[in-house]
């Protein structure tokens, strides 16, 4: 019998999930050279490319439209192509009780899951009866399976047919970028640190080049030869043909060719296409070797110039302003002291670990209930040599669920923990090294970018840390303009920084970089006018027009809609904007397409006039219908020639035209575990999103509605086009002023934040590891290439992984994400993050390196998928069983003596607490009257929020703030920021004589006790007594007192740098928000959920069976 309630991998039955075969992710040789082309920022958009952007592009036709599945969560399981298992597969499981967690005294044994059929399980990894294999195949049970992808499942690849003419040609590129020196030491031989576990501190981002440094010139040429003769000049590969010296002109292809990557034939032959060819080295890579470092015929900027011919055979003379000693050679090349880095040269630093170290200290949760640290929980530090670790990627950007990677899949299965990565790849960074070079050094085989964790065999050769191929060091890479030294590649910024950004040469473009194009689509039906949102949007746009990311090429346009579609001509020469109405919503067309998207700088006055008059234009409208679907079709047709961003503002359920929806919510019914309306009711919005993705268009949805609007269906338009969803329930400009403030603050952030266009992202990992499932807002274009028409700094992503081949011969593995995008200034850039982690061979060490926050975040993503593909009840069962299975495995396989209680490793001491918090989070909670759209929005946030915010929304921070002091305070820009301790989320920690601040990420609540001190009431709240405290207070008064300054500074500091604006509610006993405040007390019992103590008793009973 199948065992109920196990969290499994996404199944092929999930909407849009694509399953994978064979090596779902490998680092094979690249199939084609990286080809792109770049246009100068100062040039006109399409002037050098005739016909590059026709105004109308025919809609793409899928070769096999019936095989496209629709996935709620944006998580897509990738696998081999060519056959697809049909939409009819479902998860078969035993009937479950409505709340399987409640019975604490049950002693019946849980039925064990039999091994899956041999066709679904790789022979190399037999599934144990209770193993938790996290993998992409469907499981008969509701258990999450952490493991290999299935054998025999196939991909439903969505291959469009395009009729847009391809482009060819190269353009000039000119930029200036500067560097400042890094002080990091050269790479050491010893990766693994011996001895005990390092303290759990978060490594700082590496010191980074400052953009204010003057550019460094090219290396000097001319002068006498060095004493030992000229430096030898080598070709990068003996197999290179004559084509390397005379490179063919890269063909520029438009974005319409970019989605499909593999032909529909059964042999899986590769169809040359777009970004997959350009980014290179994915799982579809062939054995064909290509030019590793495509050269440019010109210098790109001045930081890393090409070496002039004279430099290769002569010694440079002294240059003015530079010390002469920097370029003196004693005898030819400088001596090279780094030994080869390999398994034989690394120390087995983990062997000295014992159960007595802090990381493996055994905790009895029934005796030590207060395990929550009083300071924010930090990511565990990998057990690497300190010289390696200080070069490692910041965990805020790149994080693994296990910082000690198990050697084999069998060991991973035994640990019953999920293996995956959580990424925040486009996060705003205060410092970021930007490299401008005519040569981007990459592995010839797997296309990995050179990084701090490669091995230099000597000055002329480096070994890839992902596929272990030995590559030649290009001549240009031998010169370091920072140190002005030739022959020291270890000092290059690419080898000193785990996070780096490259200015991409023309080989990394399919077409000229697109201009920033912003199209705003407004609902102007009677319901929308009533909310008054148009005033806020138009005023924010007026205030921030000059701050929209872009340059002289920025374009903007507007569409409004009710039961008809209204376009606005902003043609130069008009005295006022001209409205064009299209009433045929069954067959929408674009009137005057050349005047609807206009240059922002050249038409600013007309745009400002439109924004000033738009809020009043529909004041007397009685039109109640909403034709959202036709409006989106119109927007897509208008944007498809260039790509860009569509921002849609909607206030009700779409009611006419394509995409019309009907209410599926039963308002008075409490949420049951058998929720049936989490899936989209139509595939219209996903299909349109896929069309948008193919044309480099992303759609962001702002839903401002007090009524049910079927976000489960509408959200697909953003999920699959790499957009974002914003939700403001019960928005009204008069009745809900705090929502108005939140909307205005978040809209300003949205309009002015950094943006990347026409982006793709690929994640690579060391040979032997494979990636099989992705989570986030995107479309998987070709097995492992994520299509991101827009990328924003507030989006997070997650991936699931398995150990495909044993890692017994290596001691470290690496992961690298590469994000190729066009900046708002028209520059093609590549942001690369690389992370290095040790490989371990024992279960002790696997548990030692567990990152409980990353594990919880990945499980939350998996649980959203399970809610959609199976049921909410299944997802809840699976979350609980994830805890039970891992702690059972720890008890039976690690602990030598069976002691009473619930024994957990120190690293997992918070695992039951975080899973209980997930069960009470809005996405997965039961027995509440949460609106269906609010639950769907919470699920959208789980899939799209970076880990730090996801954890804050799941398990908020509670502080006592009526006694703040300067002890231990931070000093930031002459501001003193108090640092009160974090408290457990239980009413036991509250007292009536205090005031407590709850920070739940998107909302803050300040609870004031009935007997709170008079000093706090008067000095902070500005009221004479408790009875004078207003019931609906949402702002602290700005008082000239030390107490007011302290708490005001603390709340401002918490709000800083967040992509959303948390409203502050001041709560007293009679406040309507008090129930919400108590709901966040996850350690306390509610009507439908266990307390923390009851939950760990339940877990203990299951573990000790």
């Amino acid at each position: 019998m199948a065992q109920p309630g196990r969290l499994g991998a996404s199944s092929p039955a999930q909407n849009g999930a694509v399953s994978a075969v064979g090596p779902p992710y490998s680092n094979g040789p690249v199939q084609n050279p990286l080809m792109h082309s770049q246009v100068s920022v100062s040039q006109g958009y399409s002037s050098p490319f005739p016909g590059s952007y026709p105004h109308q592009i025919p809609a793409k036709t899928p070769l096999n439209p019936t095989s496209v599945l629709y996935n709620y969560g944006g998580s897509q399981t990738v696998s081999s192509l060519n056959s697809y298992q049909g939409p009819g597969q479902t998860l078969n499981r035993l009937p479950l009780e409505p709340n399987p967690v409640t019975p604490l005294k049950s002693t019946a044994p849980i039925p064990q899951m039999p091994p899956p059929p041999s066709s679904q399980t790789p022979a190399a990894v037999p599934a144990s009866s209770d193993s938790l294999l996290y993998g992409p195949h469907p499981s008969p049970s509701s258990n999450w399976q952490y493991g290999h992808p299935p054998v025999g499942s196939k991909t439903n690849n969505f291959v469009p047919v395009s009729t847009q003419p391809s482009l060819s040609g190269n353009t000039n590129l000119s930029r200036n970028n500067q560097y400042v020196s890094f002080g990091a030491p050269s790479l050491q031989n010893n990766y693994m640190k011996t001895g005990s576990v390092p303290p759990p501190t978060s490594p700082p981002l590496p010191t980074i080049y400052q953009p204010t440094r003057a550019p460094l010139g090219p290396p000097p040429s001319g002068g006498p030869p060095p004493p030992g003769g000229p430096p030898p000049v080598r070709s990068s590969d003996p197999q290179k043909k004559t084509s390397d010296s005379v490179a063919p002109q890269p063909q520029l292809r438009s974005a319409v060719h970019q989605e499909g990557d593999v032909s529909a034939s059964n042999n899986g032959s590769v169809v040359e296409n777009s970004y997959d060819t350009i980014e290179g080295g994915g799982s579809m890579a062939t054995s064909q070797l290509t030019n590793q470092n495509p050269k440019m015929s010109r210098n790109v900027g001045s930081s890393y110039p090409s070496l002039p011919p004279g430099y290769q055979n002569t010694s440079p003379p002294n240059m003015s302003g530079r010390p002469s000693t920097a370029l003196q050679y004693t005898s030819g090349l400088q001596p090279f002291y780094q030994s080869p880095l390999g398994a034989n040269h690394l120390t087995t630093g983990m062997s000295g670990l014992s159960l007595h170290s802090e990381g493996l200290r055994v905790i009895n949760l029934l005796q030590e209930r207060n395990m929550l640290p009083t300071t924010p929980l930090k990511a565990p530090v990998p057990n690497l040599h300190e010289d390696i670790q200080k070069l490692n990627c910041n965990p805020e950007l790149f994080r693994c669920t296990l910082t000690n990677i198990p050697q084999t899949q069998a060991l991973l299965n035994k640990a019953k923990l999920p293996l995956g990565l959580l990424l925040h790849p486009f996060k705003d960074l205060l410092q970021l090294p930007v490299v401008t070079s005519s040569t981007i050094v990459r592995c010839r085989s797997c296309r990995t970018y050179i990084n701090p964790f490669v091995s230099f065999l000597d000055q002329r050769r480096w070994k890839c840390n992902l596929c272990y191929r030995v590559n030649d060091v290009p001549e240009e890479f031998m010169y370091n303009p920072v140190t002005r030294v030739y022959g020291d590649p270890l000092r290059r910024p690419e080898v000193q920084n785990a996070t780096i950004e490259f200015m991409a040469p023309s080989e990394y473009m399919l077409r000229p970089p697109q201009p920033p194009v912003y199209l705003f689509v407004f609902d102007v039906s009677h319901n929308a006018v009533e909310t008054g949102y148009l005033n806020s949007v138009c005023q924010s746009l007026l205030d921030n027009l000059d701050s929209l990311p872009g340059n002289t090429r920025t374009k903007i346009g507007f569409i409004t809609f009710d039961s008809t579609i209204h376009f606005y001509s902003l043609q130069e020469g008009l005295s006022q904007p001209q409205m064009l109405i299209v009433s045929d919503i069954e067959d929408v067309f674009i009137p005057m397409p050349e005047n609807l998207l206009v240059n922002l700088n050249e038409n600013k006055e007309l745009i400002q006039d439109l924004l000033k008059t738009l809020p009043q234009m529909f004041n007397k409208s009685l039109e109640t219908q909403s034709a959202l679907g036709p409006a989106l079709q119109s927007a897509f047709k208008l944007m498809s020639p260039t790509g860009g961003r569509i921002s849609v503002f909607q206030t009700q359920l779409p009611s006419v035209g394509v995409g019309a929806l009907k209410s599926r919510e039963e308002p008075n019914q409490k949420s049951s575990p058998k929720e049936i309306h989490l899936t989209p009711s139509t595939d219209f919005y996903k299909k349109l999103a896929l069309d948008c993705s193919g044309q480099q268009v992303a759609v962001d949805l702002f839903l401002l509605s007090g009524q049910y609007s079927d976000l489960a269906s509408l959200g697909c338009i953003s999920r699959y086009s790499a957009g974002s969803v914003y939700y403001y329930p019960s928005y009204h400009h008069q009745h809900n002023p705090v929502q108005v403030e939140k909307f205005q603050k978040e809209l300003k952030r949205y309009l002015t934040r950094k943006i990347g266009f026409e982006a793709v992202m690929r994640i690579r990992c060391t040979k032997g590891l494979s990636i099989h499932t992705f989570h986030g807002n995107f479309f998987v274009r070709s097995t492992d290439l994520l299509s991101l028409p827009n990328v924003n700094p507030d989006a997070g992503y997650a991936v699931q992984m398995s150990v495909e081949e044993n890692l017994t011969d290596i001691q470290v593995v690496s992961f690298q994400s590469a994000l190729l995008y066009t900046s708002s200034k028209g520059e093609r850039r590549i942001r690369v993050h690389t992370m290095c982690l040790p490989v371990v061979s024992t279960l002790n060490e696997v548990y030692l390196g567990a990152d409980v926050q990353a594990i919880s975040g990945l499980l939350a993503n998996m649980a959203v998928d399970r809610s959609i593909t199976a049921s909410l009840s299944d997802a809840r069962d699976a979350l609980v069983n994830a805890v039970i299975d891992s702690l059972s495995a720890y008890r039976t396989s690690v602990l030598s003596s069976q002691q009473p209680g619930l024994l957990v490793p120190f690293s997992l001491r918070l695992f039951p607490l975080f899973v209980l918090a997930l069960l009470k989070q809005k996405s997965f909670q039961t027995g509440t009257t949460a609106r269906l759209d609010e639950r769907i929005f919470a699920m959208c946030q789980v899939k799209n929020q970076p880990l730090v915010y996801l954890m804050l929304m799941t398990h908020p921070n509670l502080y006592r703030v009526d006694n703040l002091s300067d002890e231990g305070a931070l000093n930031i820009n002459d501001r003193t920021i108090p640092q009160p301790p974090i408290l457990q989320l239980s009413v036991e920690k509250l007292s009536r004589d205090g005031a407590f601040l709850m920070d739940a990420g998107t909302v803050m609540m300040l609870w004031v006790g009935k007997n709170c001190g008079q000093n706090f009431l008067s000095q902070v709240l500005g009221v004479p007594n408790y009875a004078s405290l207003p019931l609906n207070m949402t702002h602290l008064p700005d008082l000239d007192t030390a107490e007011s300054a302290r708490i005001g500074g603390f709340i401002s500091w918490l709000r800083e740098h967040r992509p959303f604006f948390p409203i502050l509610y001041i709560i007293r006993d009679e406040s309507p928000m008090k129930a919400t405040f108590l709901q966040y007390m996850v350690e306390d019992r509610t009507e439908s959920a266990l307390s923390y103590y009851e939950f760990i008793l339940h877990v203990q009973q299951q573990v000790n069976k």
Side-chain angles (χ1 to χ4, degrees):
M1 296 294 292
Q3 184 171 347
R6 289 288 188 273
L7 268 174
S10 39
S11 76
Q14 92 182 46
N15 304 322
V18 188
S19 310
V21 200
Y25 189 93
S26 62
N27 293 296
V30 69
Q31 64 222 13
N32 281 303
L34 303 187
M35 307 298 266
H36 265 248
S37 89
Q38 179 103 358
V39 66
S40 168
V41 175
S42 62
Q43 289 176 334
Y45 180 54
S46 57
S47 56
F49 298 90
S52 55
Y53 292 107
H55 282 289
Q56 295 296 322
I57 294 182
K60 300 185 310 175
T61 305
L63 294 179
N64 186 8
T66 60
S67 69
V68 180
L69 290 176
Y70 300 106
N71 180 1
Y72 166 83
S75 89
Q76 303 188 16
T77 311
V78 296
S79 60
S80 100
L81 294 113
N82 313 327
S83 121
Y84 137 73
Q85 298 185 2
Q89 292 191 2
T90 56
L91 288 169
N92 300 316
R93 61 185 184 85
L94 290 175
L96 297 171
E97 297 176 7
N99 190 357
V101 180
T102 305
L104 296 179
K105 298 183 179 179
S106 170
T107 56
I110 297 178
Q112 299 299 307
M113 184 183 78
S118 58
S119 64
Q120 293 292 317
T121 306
V125 186
S128 62
S129 60
D130 62 346
S131 67
L132 197 68
L133 298 169
Y134 287 68
H137 53 284
S139 167
S141 71
S142 55
N143 193 19
W144 264 321
Q145 303 281 322
Y146 310 131
H148 283 288
V151 175
S153 59
K154 306 287 184 179
T155 291
N156 56 327
N157 208 31
F158 190 85
V159 185
V161 177
S162 165
T163 59
Q164 178 166 347
S166 61
L167 313 174
S168 63
N170 251 331
T171 58
N172 293 327
L173 177 69
S174 59
R175 293 191 195 91
N176 287 312
N177 283 278
Q178 299 86 27
Y179 286 126
V180 182
S181 168
F182 285 60
S186 61
L187 201 61
Q188 300 296 315
N189 296 335
N190 184 5
Y191 273 83
M192 306 274 262
K193 181 180 178 181
T194 57
S196 61
V197 187
T201 57
S202 178
L205 210 62
T207 311
I208 303 175
Y209 287 99
Q210 305 291 336
T212 54
R213 175 76 176 256
L216 295 159
S221 60
V233 179
R234 300 187 183 193
S235 75
S236 60
D237 195 288
Q239 302 180 39
K240 282 201 291 187
K241 310 293 183 187
T242 55
S243 60
D244 287 348
S245 54
V246 184
Q249 196 78 328
Q251 184 180 9
L252 299 176
R253 277 177 279 187
S254 73
V256 208
H257 297 276
Q258 291 159 12
E259 196 173 316
D261 185 14
V262 176
S263 69
S265 63
N266 287 329
N267 60 9
S269 60
V270 176
V271 177
E272 284 193 20
N273 93 327
S274 71
Y275 286 122
D276 195 55
T277 301
I278 289 167
E279 214 291 318
S283 61
M284 296 303 300
T286 67
S287 59
Q288 173 188 357
L289 293 179
T290 57
N291 186 0
Q292 168 194 5
N293 305 305
K295 298 280 183 173
M296 300 174 65
S297 59
R298 64 202 180 281
N299 290 348
V300 184
S302 59
S303 294
Y304 280 13
S306 300
L307 294 178
Y311 185 68
Q312 297 174 355
N313 48 32
T314 59
S315 175
N318 293 341
M319 296 183 68
S320 60
R322 294 190 177 185
S324 60
T325 55
L327 290 167
Q328 297 303 312
Y329 310 131
T330 53
S331 58
L333 290 175
Q334 295 179 341
F336 192 87
Y337 296 110
Q338 188 197 21
S339 307
L341 287 174
N344 297 331
H345 297 269
L346 297 171
T347 61
T348 52
M350 304 292 284
S351 59
L353 293 172
S354 70
L355 285 173
H356 301 294
S357 66
E358 172 70 9
L360 281 173
R361 182 163 68 88
V362 180
I363 305 290
N364 186 340
L365 288 182
L366 291 177
Q367 293 177 354
E368 301 183 56
R369 285 185 54 200
N370 188 6
M371 296 308 303
L372 189 72
T374 58
T375 57
L377 191 63
K378 306 236 185 240
V381 179
N383 192 44
L384 295 166
H385 190 285
E386 58 185 11
D387 286 341
I388 302 300
Q389 178 53 32
K390 68 183 177 185
L391 295 174
N392 224 342
C393 194
N394 187 326
E396 292 180 6
L397 306 175
F398 213 165
R399 199 155 164 178
C400 186
T401 56
L402 304 176
T403 56
N404 291 333
I405 304 298
Q407 263 187 0
T408 64
Q409 182 66 35
L411 185 60
L412 177 60
N413 292 345
K414 201 172 181 182
K416 304 292 175 64
L417 291 172
L419 177 60
L421 303 171
L422 290 100
L423 298 87
H424 191 178
F426 204 53
K427 176 180 165 64
D428 286 325
L429 300 174
L430 295 177
Q431 294 177 305
L432 176 69
V434 179
V435 173
T436 299
S437 176
S438 57
T439 301
I440 296 178
V441 181
R442 301 178 66 181
C443 174
R444 284 177 51 77
S445 178
C446 69
R447 310 305 296 160
T448 294
Y449 295 81
I450 197 168
N451 59 78
F453 312 111
V454 303
S455 308
F456 281 85
L457 306 184
D458 52 44
Q459 283 179 306
R460 291 291 183 176
R461 294 180 302 155
W462 63 279
K463 183 190 283 189
C464 176
N465 53 322
L466 268 63
C467 72
Y468 309 117
R469 180 187 173 110
V470 176
N471 297 270
D472 290 330
V473 176
E475 193 69 35
E476 181 186 341
F477 201 76
M478 299 296 293
Y479 176 74
N480 189 340
V482 177
T483 59
R484 308 184 188 96
V485 170
Y486 180 83
D488 189 10
L490 275 171
R491 296 285 179 178
R492 291 276 296 210
E494 297 95 322
V495 188
Q496 291 291 327
N497 295 277
T499 292
I500 197 160
E501 186 151 292
F502 297 96
M503 303 292 284
S506 59
E507 289 83 359
Y508 288 80
M509 285 169 237
L510 292 174
R511 61 177 187 176
Q514 70 166 74
V517 184
Y518 305 110
L519 179 61
F520 295 89
V521 181
F522 298 130
D523 176 2
V524 292
S525 62
H526 178 72
N527 186 67
V529 173
E530 277 291 299
T531 67
Y533 88 91
L534 260 180
N535 288 292
S536 295
V537 178
C538 291
Q539 189 57 52
S540 288
L541 272 167
L542 281 168
D543 295 341
N544 296 291
L545 267 184
D546 293 333
S547 302
L548 287 176
N551 53 17
T552 55
R553 302 187 302 155
T554 303
K555 292 185 175 182
I556 194 169
F558 300 90
I559 292 176
T560 58
F561 67 95
D562 39 36
S563 61
T564 57
I565 316 296
H566 323 129
F567 299 88
Y568 296 88
S569 173
L570 300 165
Q571 183 178 3
E572 207 169 354
L574 289 177
S575 58
Q576 61 183 29
Q578 179 182 2
M579 180 194 284
L580 309 166
I581 300 177
V582 174
S583 55
D584 183 4
I585 60 173
E586 299 303 320
D587 184 19
V588 293
F589 64 95
I590 307 297
M592 302 173 62
E594 64 277 0
N595 299 322
L596 302 180
L597 283 173
V598 297
N599 186 284
L600 173 60
N601 295 320
E602 295 171 3
N603 299 271
K604 187 172 290 184
E605 288 187 7
L606 271 180
I607 294 166
Q608 290 171 331
D609 287 347
L610 175 62
L611 291 172
K612 288 172 184 174
T613 57
L614 203 54
Q616 285 74 46
M617 288 172 63
F618 301 93
N619 271 348
K620 298 182 180 177
S621 170
L622 298 177
E623 180 58 72
T624 59
Q625 301 291 340
S626 171
L628 175 64
L632 286 171
Q633 287 180 325
S634 304
F636 167 66
K637 288 185 176 182
L638 187 56
M639 293 286 280
S640 59
T642 55
R645 183 178 76 189
I646 299 174
S647 306
V648 184
F649 297 80
Q650 173 74 0
T651 65
Q652 62 179 329
L653 201 66
S655 54
V656 292
V658 290
L661 302 171
K662 294 182 179 178
S663 178
R664 299 186 290 165
E665 184 181 49
E666 300 173 23
N668 297 320
Q669 181 183 10
K670 285 195 172 185
S671 300
S672 72
K674 307 288 184 186
E675 193 71 61
I676 57 172
H677 299 311
L678 301 176
T679 54
S681 60
T682 173
D683 62 6
F684 167 78
Y685 294 99
K686 174 166 181 178
K687 284 182 174 178
L688 184 56
L690 296 184
D691 288 339
C692 288
S693 178
Q695 302 296 340
Q696 303 299 344
V697 175
V699 183
D700 294 324
L701 174 65
F702 289 80
L703 186 58
L704 308 101
S705 175
Q707 314 161 14
Y708 172 69
S709 300
D710 198 354
L711 188 55
S713 300
L714 297 185
C716 292
I717 191 66
S718 298
R719 198 165 303 121
Y720 295 101
S721 67
S724 305
V725 175
Y726 295 81
Y727 180 48
Y728 303 90
S730 306
Y731 182 94
H732 195 277
H733 69 292
Q734 289 178 332
H735 303 154
N736 200 346
V738 291
Q739 282 279 26
V740 175
E741 181 188 17
K742 180 179 176 66
F743 176 55
Q744 289 172 336
K745 292 278 178 63
E746 293 180 355
L747 185 59
K748 179 178 180 179
R749 161 74 180 169
Y750 170 79
L751 293 173
T752 59
R753 72 186 179 188
K754 184 177 56 182
I755 185 171
F757 297 99
E758 48 188 353
V760 289
M761 182 168 71
R762 174 168 275 140
I763 303 166
R764 297 177 170 87
C765 49
T766 292
K767 183 180 179 183
L769 296 170
S770 65
I771 296 173
H772 58 72
T773 307
F774 298 85
H775 300 274
N777 289 2
F778 50 75
F779 177 61
V780 177
R781 179 169 282 151
S782 59
T783 70
D784 63 347
L785 190 71
L786 305 189
S787 169
L788 303 168
N790 289 176
V791 60
N792 71 73
D794 304 330
Y797 306 89
V799 300
Q800 291 169 240
M801 299 167 46
S802 59
V803 183
E804 195 172 62
E805 301 171 14
N806 291 350
L807 306 173
T808 48
D809 295 333
I810 56 176
Q811 291 203 336
V812 291
V813 292
S814 296
F815 309 88
Q816 185 177 86
S817 71
L819 177 69
L820 173 66
Y821 71 98
T822 298
S823 76
S824 58
K825 303 297 183 187
E827 301 163 333
R828 201 72 175 142
R829 292 178 169 228
I830 310 163
R831 184 168 299 187
V832 178
H833 304 290
T834 312
M835 176 173 63
C836 179
L837 295 175
V839 176
V840 297
S841 57
T842 69
L843 213 50
N844 279 354
E845 295 162 333
V846 175
Y847 285 116
L848 165 72
D851 183 338
V852 69
Q853 287 183 308
I855 289 170
S856 304
L858 185 61
L859 288 178
N861 276 275
M862 296 166 66
V864 169
D865 287 352
R866 175 57 67 87
S867 300
I868 310 310
T869 59
S871 70
L872 191 60
S873 175
D874 265 14
R876 290 174 54 85
D877 293 349
L879 283 169
V880 175
N881 283 311
V883 178
I884 293 171
D885 289 349
S886 58
L887 299 187
S888 296
Y890 177 74
R891 179 181 177 87
T892 57
S893 302
V894 175
L895 296 180
S896 53
S897 59
Q898 301 301 316
Q899 304 169 12
L902 181 59
L903 303 178
V904 301
F906 184 78
S907 60
L908 293 179
R909 68 196 184 280
L910 299 175
F911 193 22
L913 176 61
F914 286 164
V915 166
L916 179 64
L918 279 172
L919 294 173
K920 297 184 178 185
Q921 203 240 27
K922 197 164 285 186
S923 302
F924 309 111
Q925 66 186 6
T926 57
T928 66
T929 53
R931 301 288 298 270
L932 185 53
D933 280 346
E934 290 181 20
R935 182 187 296 276
I936 297 294
F937 179 62
M939 290 183 170
C940 290
Q941 289 182 304
V942 168
K943 300 290 280 187
N944 195 41
Q945 285 290 346
L947 179 63
V948 60
Y949 301 127
L950 171 58
M951 291 308 299
L952 196 54
M953 294 173 192
T954 301
H955 187 277
N957 288 337
L958 180 66
Y959 308 93
R960 180 164 184 165
V961 293
D962 62 305
N963 55 1
L964 292 179
S965 70
D966 292 342
E967 185 179 346
L970 298 178
N971 198 318
I972 302 175
N973 299 331
D974 297 328
R975 290 186 306 157
T976 301
I977 311 297
Q979 296 294 294
I982 296 173
L983 306 175
Q984 288 175 271
L985 293 174
S986 170
V987 291
E988 291 177 7
K989 298 299 177 183
L990 302 179
S991 69
R992 291 191 177 275
D993 59 355
F996 296 82
L997 179 70
M998 171 90 71
D999 178 12
T1002 55
V1003 65
M1004 291 182 180
M1005 287 169 278
L1006 177 61
W1007 181 81
V1008 184
K1010 193 168 275 186
N1011 302 325
C1012 186
Q1014 177 63 36
N1015 187 57
F1016 185 81
L1017 292 172
S1018 59
Q1019 304 295 309
V1020 174
L1021 300 176
V1023 294
N1025 51 53
Y1026 186 80
S1028 306
L1029 200 60
L1031 275 180
N1032 294 308
M1033 188 173 177
T1034 56
H1035 290 86
L1036 289 176
D1038 189 9
L1039 304 178
D1040 189 17
T1041 64
E1043 292 83 354
S1044 178
R1046 277 199 195 99
I1047 192 169
F1050 181 57
I1051 291 174
S1052 297
W1053 176 74
L1054 290 175
R1055 281 173 164 167
E1056 277 175 10
H1057 309 305
R1058 287 192 190 172
F1060 36 77
F1061 179 78
I1063 301 171
L1064 174 67
Y1065 294 97
I1066 290 94
I1067 298 171
R1068 48 180 287 183
D1069 273 351
E1070 300 82 9
S1071 296
M1073 287 291 295
K1074 184 181 178 183
T1076 307
F1077 178 76
L1078 294 177
Q1079 260 189 344
Y1080 280 111
M1081 294 293 186
V1082 298
E1083 296 197 20
D1084 296 334
R1085 183 185 180 92
T1086 64
E1087 287 181 18
S1088 59
L1090 303 177
S1091 71
Y1092 174 62
Y1093 188 69
E1094 290 170 330
F1095 182 66
I1096 58 175
L1097 277 175
H1098 170 70
V1099 171
Q1100 183 216 9
Q1101 289 179 358
Q1102 301 300 315
V1103 166
N1104 292 347
K1105 277 185 178 180

